[in-house]
Amino acid sequence: MLYIVISFLFLAIVLYFLLGGADFGAGIIELFTSEKNRHRTRKTSYEAIGPIWEANHMWLIIAVVIMFVGFPVIYSTMCTYLHIPLLIMLLGITARGTAFAFRNYDAIKGEKTQNLYNKVFVYSSFITPLFLGIIAGSAISRQIDLHPVSYLDAYIFSWLNYFSVAVGLFTVALSGYLAAIYLIGEADNDHDARRFITKAKAMNMLAVAFGGLVFIASEIEHIRLAHWIFGNPVSLTAVIAASVSLLISWILINKGKRKIIRIGAGFQVTMILLAVGYMHWPYLIMTKDGQNLSLFMYQAPEKTIHVLAKGLMIGSLLILPSLFYLYYSFQKKEDTV
Amino acid sequence: MDDFIAARSQMAISLGFHIIYSCIGMVMPVFMAISHYKWIKTGDPVYKNVTQAWSKGVAIFFATGAVSGTILSFELGLLWPKFMEHAGPIFGMPFSLEGVAFFIEAIALGFFLYGWKRLNKWFHWFTGILVGISGIASGILVVSANSWMNNPTGFDFINGQYVNIDPIKAMFNGSWFSEALHMTLAAFSATGFAVAGIHALMIARKQNVTFHTKAFKIAIVFGAAAAILQPFSGDISAKNAAKKQPAKLAAMESYFHTVPYSPLTIGGFPDTAAKKNNFGIEVPGLLSFLVYDNFKQPVAALDQIPKQNQPPIAVTHIAFEIMIAIGSTMMLVGILYFLAIWKKRSWLSKKWFLYLFILSTPFGFIAVEAGWTVTEVGRQPWIIQGVMRTSEAVTPMPGIAYSFYLFTAVYIILSIAVIFLLKRQIKMVPQLYDR
Ligand code: HDD
Ligand code: HEM
Ligand code: HEM
């Protein structure tokens, strides 16, 4: 039963990264679009993410609930030592969700108000994944200090370090990449589609660059990231698979094979998550003094895990089919470009 | 500001904000479904307009409700890590089911809001109903989590350890039904009165009268019915509090000295130092009657509870009085409405009648806030009644005051934005829906 719960936890994290990431990415793309094309990007992303953004963000809630019901000590440790980045992420989520809804549902489309919503939307779309990445990076950065001597040690340096910030930037680039790839398929004319292709390529290069930065930062912080990732067969294979599929995507992207490149992008990101996830399995949090919080040591009592697993299984029977139907119903039909 | 007070205040303001959106999220889909149904059945375009106008407002409320709910899911851990560490596995069951309910709600909402042109009309209608059902289900589930904090069961607390955990038993603790019933009714009466009040104002101003009359009717029928049932359900809640949380009940009533023929105190201000209530009216025996169904049996007062286990009395009592006053008023207004449609049709178009509802617009939500203040403040100093103190649960991080100021600012800005947007929606009704 514990394995079922853990599987759902990882499923929720991966899907939040993919779907929520693409969602944030739409804002990032808008941020990096020239003034004159912005309204077109906005229109495409409204049509593409309007119906699904709330559902996309539910994966975060599912992940949090699994954490505090199933692994309460890990949850409370994160909440204590990563209080500040979590807080900033929450503000980002709040600003972004409301700005997106407000700009679409304001009954009077005034220029000033729309500009304000747009500004809030794009900047919070950048900040939120940045801090999500920082939080994820911090969890494994070995900078969380369970016996801190000062406020700074406990609550600031736990997340403000080169490695975590690099992971944050990497997350931003990946989100932008996912979104651009997704939007290529949603564009309703060639011109827009080409714009998104350019964006996808740029974001991709950025992601590779920031990926490099993560490795450099890990050396600075004495995190043996390269050793961990390349030192175990699963992570190594995952990284190779991601790279190969990346190369294939570059070739296919110009041919307008939307379905395949979408799957490819999803695959690449999933592989990256698998590589990192596996390398520190089964630890979710790694701390300074080497006291790592394992999913197998800090789980809730047997009975709780049991009902949680049942709840998740029954819930997913209801959720997954309707979710697929939602995506299916609001997908742009393959042949409209 | 003290960190502990700041954490409590931040929790209070976050929940106080969220609860407004959750009430609307539970009830508005039901109203929309009814108006939607009437449109499909009668083909009267006014009903379609009402449904669409509501759904645009609701989209704004939903987004705000969803983000404030997300804040809460983290805040429980950010502010009360020790509480979540122990309580999570015990009272987590309703939260996980609630996650499922939210998910279904979000999916159905996507279909509903964006499906006007794309979906089969009955399927579209069904997705709207689904939003309402899952909203109500999530409300009931989360209240069940809260009722566990008031009436913790489903585990044994031995030598500071939480053992023999049974999440199902915890979920169906003895208080869940009374709380869930009272909360669901509250959502209907508060939202019903608020929506009806806004439409009544528009009718009084003679703007789009057909449109607003239809909207008013749907909202007030539910609001009035729930308001009439509310005091009965409140009575069940109070009896339950007397059994499980005598300190809360005594504080609610500002009842200091145990006596037979225990009096019910109406109004007044408690003077905690002198242990008495000033300016209140005491009705002897009524409290005994309400709690035990006989006038004589003494109800336990604050003198039976050690000082360090007493909640803040003034806040609890005054909040309770506000809820009761409003509850009685709303019940009366509700009865008047049914009287009007049954016997006195002519009242319906009278100015004074409309003003009654315009005046009542905020009442339900004020009562909701007051009621939650009773529940939460009345449970103090416990975060888990009788098991864990709130002060033991608070985060060790210093400087929570700043996070409290920050969130207060955020909620103020969001409230202003929502009011601003709602006003613009109402202003646009003539342009969008007049033909
Ligand atoms: C429209 C809102 C509304 C109205 C008109 C009333 N209430 Fe209420 N009340 C609530 C909204 C509410 C609430 C906000 O929803 C609470 C907070 C927790 C809960 O379950 O419901 C609540 C709690 C609450 C409690 C505390 C339960 C506990 O902590 O265990 C009691 C004893 C009552 N109510 C009693 C009453 C009575 C006797 C009313 C009759 C006049 C009344 N309420 C009207
Ligand atoms: C399931 C729902 C709820 C949960 C899990 C919950 C949980 C909590 C927690 C953990 C605290 C902090 C500890 C404490 O002071 O007791 C708290 C405080 C508080 N909550 Fe709730 N709560 C819920 C519903 C609500 C709602 C809807 C309101 C709405 C107004 C509310 C109002 C308050 C207030 C006023 C306090 C501060 C109490 C004080 O400072 O004395 N609660 N709640
Ligand atoms: C008595 C208190 C509460 C009630 C009645 C309630 C009810 C609701 C309802 C009906 C919704 C959906 C409507 C909407 O999105 O506007 C909602 C949203 C939400 N609530 Fe609450 N809630 C309460 C307290 C809490 C607490 C304590 C938490 C956190 C643990 C929470 C977490 C959430 C989340 C995450 C959402 C967003 C779901 C979505 O995206 O649809 N709620 N709540």
Side-chain angles (χ1 to χ4, degrees):
Chain A
M1 281 294 175
L2 183 58
Y3 279 97
I4 293 176
V5 173
I6 293 176
S7 313
F8 272 103
L9 179 61
F10 280 102
L11 181 77
I13 292 174
V14 169
L15 286 176
Y16 184 59
F17 208 99
L18 291 179
L19 303 167
D23 212 72
F24 291 122
I28 298 171
I29 297 291
E30 195 178 314
L31 179 64
F32 293 114
T33 300
S34 64
E35 200 59 54
K36 80 175 197 304
N37 285 327
R38 272 202 184 168
H39 72 280
R40 301 212 46 83
T41 301
R42 219 166 277 149
K43 180 167 167 286
T44 315
S45 64
Y46 166 70
E47 284 166 2
I49 66 179
I52 54 179
W53 76 267
E54 276 200 63
N56 288 345
H57 287 271
M58 291 315 297
W59 292 112
L60 178 64
I61 305 293
I62 301 285
V64 171
V65 170
I66 296 177
M67 286 290 291
F68 76 58
V69 180
F71 309 97
V73 175
I74 303 183
Y75 172 76
S76 70
T77 307
M78 270 184 80
C79 282
T80 306
Y81 293 99
L82 303 177
H83 191 121
I84 294 171
L86 280 166
L87 199 89
I88 300 174
M89 176 200 78
L90 284 176
L91 292 176
I93 290 178
T94 305
R96 184 175 185 282
T98 46
F100 185 78
F102 291 175
R103 79 174 181 187
N104 294 320
Y105 285 99
D106 191 342
I108 301 169
K109 299 268 185 287
E111 195 174 331
K112 261 203 196 133
T113 42
Q114 287 292 324
N115 273 342
L116 179 66
Y117 304 142
N118 290 335
K119 273 225 178 70
V120 174
F121 177 72
V122 293
Y123 286 108
S124 52
S125 293
F126 178 83
I127 302 276
T128 316
L130 177 67
F131 275 84
L132 272 166
I134 289 181
I135 292 160
S138 311
I140 57 163
S141 69
R142 293 184 188 268
Q143 302 296 325
I144 291 180
D145 190 348
L146 297 182
H147 308 285
V149 284
S150 73
Y151 181 87
L152 290 176
D153 279 343
Y155 304 111
I156 304 288
F157 297 137
S158 52
W159 56 276
L160 194 62
N161 53 62
Y162 293 114
F163 177 71
S164 302
V165 174
V167 175
L169 291 171
F170 184 55
T171 311
V172 171
L174 283 182
S175 303
Y177 171 61
L178 286 169
I181 294 284
Y182 185 70
L183 290 175
I184 295 172
E186 300 292 311
D188 53 12
N189 62 57
D190 259 349
H191 173 71
D192 280 346
R194 243 176 282 121
R195 275 198 309 113
F196 292 130
I197 290 177
T198 322
K199 285 278 172 317
K201 287 181 175 169
M203 284 296 168
N204 196 320
M205 288 193 278
L206 211 58
V208 173
F210 285 144
L213 205 61
V214 171
F215 278 101
I216 296 170
S218 74
E219 289 303 317
I220 298 177
E221 306 278 4
H222 305 290
I223 300 163
R224 302 171 64 206
L225 189 69
H227 174 80
W228 286 344
I229 287 196
F230 300 119
N232 81 70
V234 174
S235 295
L236 189 60
T237 319
V239 171
I240 294 173
S243 317
V244 172
S245 90
L246 185 69
L247 289 176
I248 300 175
S249 297
W250 271 87
I251 301 167
L252 292 179
I253 205 168
N254 291 324
K255 302 218 170 111
K257 297 245 190 270
R258 280 177 257 132
K259 271 243 170 71
I260 298 179
I261 54 171
R262 253 186 215 183
I263 295 170
F267 178 73
Q268 286 146 26
V269 175
T270 310
M271 283 301 123
I272 293 170
L273 290 173
L274 177 68
V276 225
Y278 191 81
M279 92 190 185
H280 58 87
W281 171 265
Y283 304 121
L284 225 50
I285 291 186
M286 309 175 88
T287 65
K288 205 160 206 162
D289 54 9
Q291 190 196 347
N292 300 334
L293 303 188
S294 155
L295 288 169
F296 294 107
M297 265 173 65
Y298 288 94
Q299 81 267 41
E302 181 65 32
K303 192 132 188 200
T304 303
I305 294 289
H306 204 83
V307 269
L308 178 61
K310 274 197 190 143
L312 288 168
M313 285 191 287
I314 297 170
S316 62
L317 286 182
L318 296 169
I319 290 169
L320 292 175
S322 34
L323 195 61
F324 282 123
Y325 189 58
L326 180 74
Y327 289 137
Y328 172 78
S329 299
F330 289 99
Q331 211 188 28
K332 194 124 220 150
K333 298 294 168 266
E334 187 71 9
D335 49 33
T336 40
V337 174
Chain B
M1 190 186 228
D2 176 50
D3 281 329
F4 175 50
I5 299 293
R8 284 166 67 178
S9 312
Q10 184 178 330
M11 194 70 202
I13 194 170
S14 306
L15 285 155
F17 184 83
H18 180 71
I19 194 72
I20 295 177
Y21 297 87
S22 36
C23 286
I24 293 168
M26 287 158 83
V27 175
M28 280 316 283
V30 176
F31 292 177
M32 290 191 293
I34 287 170
S35 150
H36 198 168
Y37 177 82
K38 289 197 168 177
W39 171 57
I40 297 177
K41 275 286 161 191
T42 64
D44 183 345
V46 176
Y47 283 116
K48 183 183 184 193
N49 291 342
V50 169
T51 316
Q52 288 196 332
W54 276 345
S55 77
K56 287 194 180 139
V58 163
I60 291 170
F61 281 97
F62 257 105
T64 319
V67 296
S68 59
T70 309
I71 293 181
L72 277 173
S73 337
F74 282 96
E75 234 169 21
L76 285 176
L78 291 176
L79 298 176
W80 317 104
K82 278 282 165 269
F83 165 62
M84 290 311 282
E85 199 173 307
H86 297 294
I90 311 173
F91 84 155
M93 196 55 208
F95 279 117
S96 23
L97 295 178
E98 190 205 16
V100 173
F102 284 151
F103 217 132
I104 293 170
E105 187 179 6
I107 295 171
L109 188 72
F111 275 119
F112 181 75
L113 289 179
Y114 293 82
W116 284 96
K117 296 202 186 84
R118 300 208 197 193
L119 303 175
N120 165 293
K121 66 179 181 201
W122 282 109
F123 178 69
H124 187 219
W125 179 78
F126 171 72
T127 60
I129 284 280
L130 210 55
V131 178
I133 294 175
S134 42
I136 293 173
S138 49
I140 291 175
L141 286 163
V142 76
V143 168
S144 143
N146 179 268
S147 67
W148 176 83
M149 296 163 65
N150 291 329
N151 185 1
T153 46
F155 67 101
D156 294 316
F157 188 60
I158 298 170
N159 295 334
Q161 300 289 325
Y162 298 75
V163 292
N164 300 330
I165 289 175
D166 183 346
I168 303 287
K169 222 179 182 170
M171 180 164 147
F172 294 108
N173 63 73
S175 300
W176 85 271
F177 178 75
S178 59
E179 254 200 73
L181 176 69
H182 197 59
M183 178 69 233
T184 310
L185 286 173
F188 273 93
S189 58
T191 313
F193 267 78
V195 172
I198 292 172
H199 290 292
L201 180 66
M202 290 313 180
I203 301 171
R205 289 191 184 160
K206 303 239 180 310
Q207 287 178 359
N208 305 72
V209 173
T210 0
F211 175 97
H212 288 297
T213 309
K214 291 204 151 80
F216 172 81
K217 254 193 205 148
I218 295 173
I220 197 60
V221 168
F222 281 93
I228 293 170
L229 297 174
Q230 192 80 339
F232 299 102
S233 131
D235 178 51
I236 302 176
S237 292
K239 285 196 170 70
N240 190 54
K243 253 195 295 178
K244 306 292 184 202
Q245 298 177 290
K248 181 190 273 182
L249 185 87
M252 269 156 52
E253 303 293 352
S254 160
Y255 167 51
F256 290 95
H257 307 285
T258 310
V259 286
Y261 299 99
S262 314
L264 185 78
T265 309
I266 298 170
F269 297 93
D271 180 342
T272 15
K275 295 197 182 358
K276 66 185 180 64
N277 197 44
N278 295 329
F279 312 115
I281 305 164
E282 288 192 0
V283 187
L286 194 53
L287 184 61
S288 292
F289 178 72
L290 286 175
V291 173
Y292 296 117
D293 290 323
N294 78 60
F295 289 99
K296 185 158 180 221
Q297 193 171 345
V299 177
L302 286 163
D303 58 9
Q304 312 247 328
I305 291 144
K307 186 102 182 88
Q308 75 273 18
N309 290 350
Q310 288 182 6
I313 295 156
V315 176
T316 314
H317 175 69
I318 293 170
F320 186 65
E321 293 296 322
I322 293 174
M323 172 166 66
I324 300 298
I326 290 180
S328 319
T329 314
M330 283 170 71
M331 183 190 201
L332 253 153
V333 175
I335 291 174
L336 276 179
Y337 177 75
F338 284 117
L339 199 66
I341 50 174
W342 184 42
K343 281 267 151 113
K344 302 267 184 196
R345 285 251 153 211
S346 62
W347 287 359
L348 291 175
S349 48
K350 290 266 166 36
K351 256 232 148 82
W352 66 265
F353 194 71
L354 286 174
Y355 272 95
L356 211 57
F357 292 95
I358 297 168
L359 221 67
S360 312
T361 309
F363 284 2
F365 282 105
I366 298 174
V368 166
E369 299 289 350
W372 276 107
T373 309
V374 173
T375 301
E376 301 294 311
V377 177
R379 189 185 56 242
Q380 303 306 317
W382 304 102
I383 192 166
I384 308 172
Q385 177 74 37
V387 176
M388 182 191 273
R389 281 172 189 273
T390 312
S391 55
E392 298 168 65
V394 70
T395 177
M397 189 175 108
I400 297 297
Y402 298 100
S403 122
F404 166 62
Y405 298 139
L406 191 68
F407 274 99
T408 307
V410 168
Y411 289 126
I412 291 174
I413 293 169
L414 279 181
S415 309
I416 293 173
V418 168
I419 293 171
F420 170 77
L421 288 166
L422 208 62
K423 270 198 164 156
R424 304 209 338 164
Q425 303 246 344
I426 295 169
K427 203 162 112 192
M428 290 302 280
V429 165
Q431 276 97 315
L432 290 173
Y433 304 109
D434 257 359
R435 250 158 282 173

